[in-house]
Amino acid sequence: MKIFDRKKELNTFTLKKREKDNTIGLVPTMGALHSGHLSLVNKALLENDLVIVSIFVNPTQFDKKNDLDKYPRTFNKDIELLRQLSDNIVVFAPTVDEIYEGNVVSQNYEFDGLDKVMEGKFRSGHFDGVGTIVELFLRTVAPDRAYFGEKDFQQLQIIRKMVEIKNLPYTIIGCPIEREPHGLAMSSRNERLSKNTREQASFIYTTLKAAKAEFGTNSAITITDWVKSEFENHPLFDLEYFEIAEEITLTPVLKIQDNQKYRAFIAVYADGVRLIDNIRLN
Ligand code: PAF
């Protein structure tokens, strides 16, 4: 399997593939691959001749140094997993220096307010960091399609917005959330949970499903208050936010409209680890 660590070399390689009419899928990751990532790679393999998987823990999207330091790094295992999947995968694993060339800062983006709510409110500068790295990967690889998981639904909508605003000719594809057997949304961060917390964390998804069952019968405020009280009574989890928002604009719902799509979004701390999840409501 080819592993590139230089932007220029990867760019030359993908250009040559394109000249031969090969289609290219891009799956950006921060490594510590799990079956959620592999489902993105598998979808990309089905829809493209070649798939580029980037493995890069992007420092500018972390608002806390501690979180960046503790982010799991399992490079050799990741490569092995990808090698077993297909011969049509190429890895891009650059260093921080190669990407940021000595200036580890993000660009400033205008995301039409999508970055001002939920994750954006609690993780200052996070989406500028995501925009910076995703734009660089998109421009370097010039894929036909790029794949992102719906677990980070706000990120997915923000990347779609960036591509629209910058007029970038790449199709952004959102893929459904993969879950652990107990229901916890798959995330590289789950590795940092104790066995007990990881099992108990099914509570997050169970609560989301219960909120969905109430949607349409009870108001958004009533559901939100109920979710808050459920978490106040739970010894293991600290709720950071629970928000019911419209899918495209991500604005919190005040009055439910028939022709709109809504999702419930949640961020929770467990064992000092921040977990996010969401569910489509209608
Ligand atoms: O979702 C992630 O893992 C990251 O935010 C991404 C898209 C790879 C950018 O670093």
Side-chain angles (χ1 to χ4, degrees):
M1 187 167 63
K2 274 195 190 330
I3 303 179
F4 288 95
D5 58 5
R6 302 271 160 167
K7 293 175 275 192
K8 184 100 192 46
E9 283 162 21
L10 177 66
N11 183 254
T12 310
F13 173 81
T14 53
L15 273 178
K16 280 201 186 120
K17 290 288 174 187
R18 189 163 302 287
E19 276 163 17
K20 290 186 187 149
D21 280 343
N22 282 183
T23 54
I24 300 175
L26 169 67
V27 181
T29 82
M30 297 205 294
L33 301 183
H34 49 68
S35 31
H37 294 114
L38 300 187
S39 74
L40 303 185
V41 178
N42 276 325
K43 185 165 168 59
L45 283 165
L46 281 176
E47 296 177 352
N48 303 277
D49 297 315
L50 179 74
V51 174
I52 314 287
V53 178
S54 63
I55 298 180
F56 179 67
V57 182
N58 174 33
T60 60
Q61 69 187 75
F62 287 81
D63 58 334
K64 293 193 179 89
K65 188 175 174 311
N66 186 36
D67 193 23
L68 170 62
D69 292 344
K70 286 197 173 153
Y71 201 84
R73 289 158 171 90
T74 56
F75 186 71
N76 292 340
K77 194 172 150 226
D78 295 348
I79 297 298
E80 209 30 59
L81 282 171
L82 295 172
R83 216 189 285 278
Q84 281 165 20
L85 223 54
S86 161
D87 292 337
N88 295 334
I89 298 174
V90 166
V91 168
F92 180 42
T95 60
V96 171
D97 243 19
E98 170 66 13
I99 294 295
Y100 286 100
E101 299 171 1
N103 188 24
V104 187
V105 291
S106 326
Q107 294 176 45
N108 291 321
Y109 286 88
E110 176 48 64
F111 295 121
D112 265 2
L114 295 183
D115 56 331
K116 301 289 181 270
V117 292
M118 300 187 287
E119 292 302 285
K121 216 154 84 182
F122 288 93
R123 301 183 69 190
S124 157
H126 170 66
F127 288 118
D128 278 340
V130 170
T132 304
I133 195 65
V134 171
E135 184 177 0
L136 186 141
F137 286 157
L138 287 171
R139 290 189 190 276
T140 305
V141 174
D144 295 272
R145 302 170 193 85
Y147 298 79
F148 298 87
E150 287 186 349
K151 183 183 72 76
D152 299 289
F153 192 83
Q154 186 174 9
Q155 165 175 282
L156 171 65
Q157 298 301 59
I158 281 178
I159 291 167
R160 286 191 166 127
K161 178 60 70 182
M162 176 183 77
V163 163
E164 179 196 315
I165 289 177
K166 298 225 162 198
N167 217 355
L168 301 174
Y170 316 117
T171 303
I172 303 299
I173 297 184
C175 305
I177 300 174
E178 292 283 313
R179 297 186 179 278
E180 297 194 354
H182 291 284
L184 176 63
M186 288 208 175
S187 163
S188 306
R189 291 170 200 271
N190 297 355
E191 294 301 319
R192 292 173 51 204
L193 299 172
S194 71
K195 188 168 176 288
N196 177 45
T197 307
R198 197 160 172 168
E199 279 170 19
Q200 300 285 323
S202 57
F203 182 72
I204 301 168
Y205 186 45
T206 308
T207 310
L208 283 180
K209 283 192 292 186
K212 179 180 171 119
E214 292 303 313
F215 188 78
T217 311
N218 276 312
S219 71
I221 294 172
T222 306
I223 296 170
T224 306
D225 287 346
W226 175 77
V227 170
K228 282 183 182 162
S229 70
E230 285 295 285
F231 277 92
E232 268 159 25
N233 294 328
H234 202 292
L236 285 182
F237 305 113
D238 285 326
L239 181 68
E240 187 167 64
Y241 66 76
F242 172 83
E243 203 79 80
I244 294 180
E246 192 277 319
E247 269 197 11
I248 310 285
T249 60
L250 302 178
T251 43
V253 54
L254 294 173
K255 193 167 177 330
I256 296 160
Q257 314 274 341
D258 283 346
N259 55 347
Q260 308 270 38
K261 286 190 186 143
Y262 298 98
R263 265 181 198 255
F265 297 85
I266 196 165
V268 169
Y269 275 95
D271 291 348
V273 180
R274 194 167 180 281
L275 304 169
I276 60 170
D277 201 347
N278 67 82
I279 194 167
R280 174 176 270 184
L281 295 175
N282 63 340

